[in-house]
Amino acid sequence: MSRVLQISAAASDRPRAHRIEFFLACMFVYLSPMNVFMVPTFFFTASDGFACLCLLAMISHHSLNLRPLGPGTFLWVIGLVTMVGALFISSLAAGVPVRGLILVGQYLFAFLVVPLILLTRSRKETNILLKVFLASILTVVLHGIYVIHFVGETNTIFVSGSGRLMGLVRRINAGGYLMAFTIPIVFSMMHARLIHPLLASISIALLVYGVILTASNTALSGLVFGVAIYFIMSANFQRIFIAGTLSVLAIGVLSFTDPHTILPEIFQRRVLAGLESGDINEAGTFSDRLLLIREALQLAGDTIWLGVGADQFRVMSQYNLPVHNTYLLLWTEGGLISLFGFVLMMMGIALLIVYAWPIERARPAAKAAIATTVVFLIIINSSTHIYGRFVIIPIFISLAPLAAALREEYRNGGRPTHART
């Protein structure tokens, strides 16, 4: 009898424990872009602290699902082990095992812990996390608008000396990437009726203006690509008509408006000048990045099996900088095997999307996941290492509804449509 009472008491405590765990997950997502709350000595944020607590809570009451990407989990795990294993072995060979351990630890946290927390939720919880994520990014944008236009800050932790928004993210380009990543997710939330179209329109307008405040050419390109990919996949007569009408109206407004009077000065200097002149050298630091890419390509031929080790590219570079291209950085520091591991991870994502695509209710999220992932793969051509949780959470947030839909499909005794015999 006492045993039965103990089991009943434990069962009644589970909902409370789960609510606490989910609250920790929400805090993890909400604080994820806010690197302002970071340990000064190494990359660990308040968001990461909530992630650790959430993971411990999931382990303690046995709610940990070890297949976060569903059918893509195997490729994802094999790819991750290959990527970080090659990085660590290269670091050992280069005599920098400590740097190797640090880099491997950061990558494991980003690409193992984060999906375990975000991709194992029910549909209801996933929908809440999507809203929490949107609220988080809008908080970053609104704070940026406040410090630039109302406070007038420059050369602070939130605004660079040139007037570019760093904001709560404390990163200029990465902040712009986050806003660009979020726009396809907002479209999918609107099409899935998770948010009202008016709120979606206001959110998209704010996100676009946030990208403008960062004056990031790469983020602006990612925004255009993401929206284009989502709308191409969602094209029908009504949407084409609406998009065409809005485009004509926008062109009409711009024809009678001087963009120099309404756009921030830093955006005019850094982005608009290059667009108007067609000179890529006026649009950011492309020429400087090209020098690092050429240097990396020369080094790549000698790093087929073993790389130069974690964070060693900047040591060997004549410019004392890491190459701003994640693919080449993984190749040169971890060897070609490390880059191959990353490709396997992306194939795991693709497999999850392919399996979830036939599920009708998951289709808007699948389109957003494709758009967000493609933009991510384009943007990291101008990024260094991508273990920052604030950069990769949008990818997992966009995949979360697909993982939830697949689990529901299997739980109800069905299989995705294309897999039925």
Side-chain angles (χ1 to χ4, degrees):
M1 183 66 179
S2 60
R3 177 63 175 168
V4 173
L5 291 174
Q6 287 175 358
I7 294 173
S8 300
S12 65
D13 285 340
R14 282 179 186 172
R16 180 186 298 176
H18 186 77
R19 285 196 298 271
I20 293 172
E21 173 215 308
F22 183 60
F23 169 77
L24 294 171
C26 289
M27 291 301 298
F28 164 53
V29 171
Y30 183 77
L31 292 173
S32 61
M34 303 179 190
N35 292 325
V36 66
F37 306 117
M38 184 172 67
V39 175
T41 51
F42 62 98
F43 187 76
F44 189 87
T45 66
S47 172
D48 296 334
F50 279 105
C52 292
L53 292 173
C54 182
L55 184 66
L56 288 174
M58 293 171 72
I59 294 171
S60 67
H61 63 268
H62 310 291
S63 65
L64 198 63
N65 184 336
L66 297 180
R67 298 188 72 245
L69 278 81
T73 302
F74 178 76
L75 282 175
W76 179 267
V77 172
I78 292 297
L80 179 59
V81 170
T82 301
M83 183 182 77
V84 299
L87 275 168
F88 183 64
I89 292 172
S90 297
S91 301
L92 281 178
V96 285
V98 175
R99 293 306 309 166
L101 280 174
I102 292 172
L103 191 61
V104 167
Q106 293 283 4
Y107 268 120
L108 287 176
F109 196 113
F111 291 110
L112 188 60
V113 173
V114 174
L116 286 173
I117 293 173
L118 298 185
L119 299 186
T120 57
R121 303 284 161 187
S122 65
R123 185 178 7 164
K124 180 181 178 181
E125 289 184 350
T126 296
N127 291 341
I128 293 172
L129 285 176
L130 284 166
K131 295 175 183 179
V132 170
F133 173 72
L134 177 58
S136 173
I137 304 303
L138 291 179
T139 299
V140 171
V141 175
L142 290 171
H143 173 266
I145 292 173
Y146 173 74
V147 296
I148 287 180
H149 291 303
F150 292 90
V151 180
E153 287 190 11
T154 53
N155 200 24
T156 67
I157 62 171
F158 299 128
V159 185
S160 72
S162 61
R164 298 177 69 190
L165 175 63
M166 292 189 291
L168 297 171
V169 183
R170 297 287 302 277
R171 308 283 196 283
I172 296 174
N173 290 323
Y177 303 161
L178 275 173
M179 299 163 200
F181 288 150
T182 306
I183 292 177
I185 298 174
V186 175
F187 280 125
S188 72
M189 292 172 68
M190 180 178 65
H191 292 158
R193 299 182 179 179
L194 294 180
I195 56 174
H196 192 277
L198 178 59
L199 177 58
S201 301
I202 294 171
S203 300
I204 290 168
L206 287 171
L207 291 167
V208 171
Y209 192 66
V211 171
I212 290 173
L213 289 179
T214 65
S216 170
N217 289 280
T218 310
L220 182 62
S221 301
L223 185 157
V224 173
F225 275 114
V227 172
I229 291 168
Y230 188 88
F231 269 93
I232 288 171
M233 291 187 295
S234 306
N236 57 35
F237 177 77
Q238 180 182 6
R239 288 172 186 160
I240 291 173
F241 176 77
I242 292 173
T245 303
L246 291 175
S247 299
V248 170
L249 288 173
I251 291 171
V253 170
L254 291 174
S255 299
F256 294 98
T257 306
D258 182 5
H260 296 278
T261 63
I262 59 175
L263 292 173
E265 183 182 349
I266 183 61
F267 184 83
Q268 295 178 38
R269 291 200 315 266
R270 204 172 185 279
V271 180
L272 191 60
L275 293 175
E276 290 178 337
S277 67
D279 184 1
I280 197 171
N281 290 317
E282 291 189 30
T285 56
F286 289 105
S287 57
D288 296 336
R289 293 179 182 180
L290 189 58
L291 292 174
L292 289 165
I293 288 172
R294 288 174 177 167
E295 190 177 45
L297 288 172
Q298 293 174 355
L299 184 60
D302 299 324
T303 55
I304 300 297
W305 302 110
L306 282 177
V308 298
D311 297 329
Q312 296 308 293
F313 185 95
R314 71 167 70 233
V315 176
M316 302 183 67
S317 170
Q318 61 177 312
Y319 307 105
N320 296 317
L321 292 169
V323 59
H324 284 64
N325 184 297
T326 302
Y327 304 106
L328 287 174
L329 195 57
L330 285 174
W331 184 342
T332 53
E333 292 194 350
L336 187 57
I337 296 174
S338 184
L339 178 58
F340 176 69
F342 180 74
V343 172
L344 284 179
M345 292 168 63
M346 296 304 105
M347 290 173 63
I349 288 179
L351 198 58
L352 171 60
I353 295 173
V354 167
Y355 268 76
W357 182 268
I359 304 173
E360 191 65 33
R361 66 179 180 278
R363 193 70 54 79
K367 294 171 185 175
I370 292 171
T372 305
T373 304
V374 170
V375 172
F376 171 74
L377 294 175
I378 293 172
I379 279 177
I380 62 176
N381 276 286
S382 58
S383 301
T384 54
H385 283 296
I386 48 169
Y387 51 73
R389 273 63 75 187
F390 61 97
V391 175
I392 52 97
I393 276 184
I395 310 301
F396 293 125
I397 281 288
S398 70
L399 293 171
L402 309 186
L406 268 180
R407 280 193 302 276
E408 278 190 357
E409 190 83 359
Y410 288 124
R411 192 181 301 120
N412 294 333
R415 298 189 66 187
T417 306
H418 73 283
R420 289 178 182 150
T421 57

